[in-house]
Amino acid sequence: DAGVTQSPTHLIKTRGQQVTLRCSPKSGHDTVSWYQQALGQGPQFIFQYYEEEERQRGNFPDRFSGHQFPNYSSELNVNALLLGDSALYLCASSLGAGGLRDTEAFFGQGTRLTVV
Amino acid sequence: GDSVTQMEGPVTLSEEAFLTINCTYTATGYPSLFWYVQYPGEGLQLLLKATKADDKGSNKGFEATYRKETTSFHLEKGSVQVSDSAVYFCALSGMNTGFQKLVFGTGTRLLVSP
């Protein structure tokens, strides 16, 4: 059973560019959340998708946007990249009703984004 | 807002030593509490969880008890192994939303030497 898969694993972009990161949830899961983990820090919640809609958003600017497809996979888009966007971006999937608060979230290995 | 505070690392121990990693939280009501572990080059894995006061989560020799009175969820293991070397994150999921939004601490790196 494939777990959560993310692509690409590493990415280097220039300031001002746009980037798209991809996530396939664990088989059977219908909810995808995205987190940003800066070096030496804990992950910070960006947003969550369920039934192809954004359910809630963390404290991130509109430059961060997302999408969920009918097969539950998801994309994270970041526009006008800043140096401070350099981080590990983690995707987590879970099951049911937008993800009950004590549900186990399964994380992918992440995409390491470097902005130069 | 909700927050989690963890002891700073790194925590350096010899194999078979006793481990404690402190975690305290601030949240409205009764959040669910989690410990996640991150091995080098990997994503986060759920280690254990507790969903109500006085619950004890346990897995792979690790334990943590949900203490409402002290708003704490300290991680313990009686005898660590070299393979336990990783970064440990304490997290909560608050009850003020109808779905899971994890709030993480900054992580504590554990280094176990033979």
Side-chain angles (χ1 to χ4, degrees):
Chain A
D1 175 25
V4 179
T5 58
Q6 293 186 242
S7 64
T9 55
H10 295 83
L11 202 52
I12 300 175
K13 290 286 189 178
T14 304
R15 275 181 300 174
Q17 285 189 315
Q18 179 265 344
V19 69
T20 297
L21 311 181
R22 295 176 176 81
C23 172
S24 293
K26 180 178 170 64
S27 178
H29 283 185
D30 57 6
T31 302
V32 173
S33 302
W34 286 92
Y35 291 82
Q36 180 196 67
Q37 186 179 11
L39 196 62
Q41 300 297 314
Q44 299 288 317
F45 176 80
I46 302 175
F47 41 53
Q48 184 184 84
Y49 278 86
Y50 173 68
E51 293 186 337
E52 302 180 49
E53 291 188 1
E54 183 181 294
R55 292 295 294 260
Q56 187 164 342
R57 188 180 187 88
N59 188 26
F60 281 80
D62 292 345
R63 297 187 298 108
F64 290 76
S65 62
H67 189 77
Q68 185 178 36
F69 299 94
N71 67 352
Y72 308 120
S73 66
S74 177
E75 289 182 348
L76 164 66
N77 301 292
V78 187
N79 294 323
L81 284 166
L82 304 173
L83 295 180
D85 295 331
S86 295
L88 180 67
Y89 288 84
L90 295 166
C91 170
S93 74
S94 54
L95 174 64
L100 297 176
R101 65 185 185 94
D102 58 352
T103 298
E104 178 175 357
F106 288 77
F107 284 81
Q109 290 186 321
T111 295
R112 173 73 62 186
L113 172 65
T114 302
V115 182
V116 297
Chain B
D2 296 346
S3 66
V4 174
T5 302
Q6 286 181 242
M7 63 187 289
E8 290 192 16
V11 173
T12 304
L13 295 172
S14 298
E15 204 165 27
E16 299 183 1
F18 184 85
L19 168 71
T20 300
I21 299 179
N22 291 335
C23 170
T24 57
Y25 68 88
T26 300
T28 303
Y30 300 88
S32 293
L33 301 175
F34 305 83
W35 277 100
Y36 278 85
V37 58
Q38 187 173 36
Y39 297 101
E42 298 186 12
L44 278 72
Q45 301 174 25
L46 178 65
L47 183 59
L48 52 84
K49 71 177 184 182
T51 59
K52 60 182 185 295
D54 299 325
D55 266 3
K56 177 185 284 188
S58 61
N59 185 27
K60 299 180 181 178
F62 290 90
E63 294 183 338
T65 301
Y66 189 141
R67 300 291 188 196
K68 178 67 176 175
E69 63 277 13
T70 55
T71 62
S72 65
F73 193 55
H74 304 321
L75 182 68
E76 296 181 335
K77 187 175 185 182
S79 175
V80 295
Q81 305 299 312
V82 172
S83 58
D84 294 327
S85 298
V87 180
Y88 292 81
F89 291 93
C90 184
L92 68 79
S93 181
M95 62 181 300
N96 57 346
T97 62
F99 66 96
Q100 186 187 76
K101 167 190 168 182
L102 291 167
V103 176
F104 288 89
T106 54
T108 302
R109 181 175 299 278
L110 171 64
L111 300 171
V112 181
S113 57

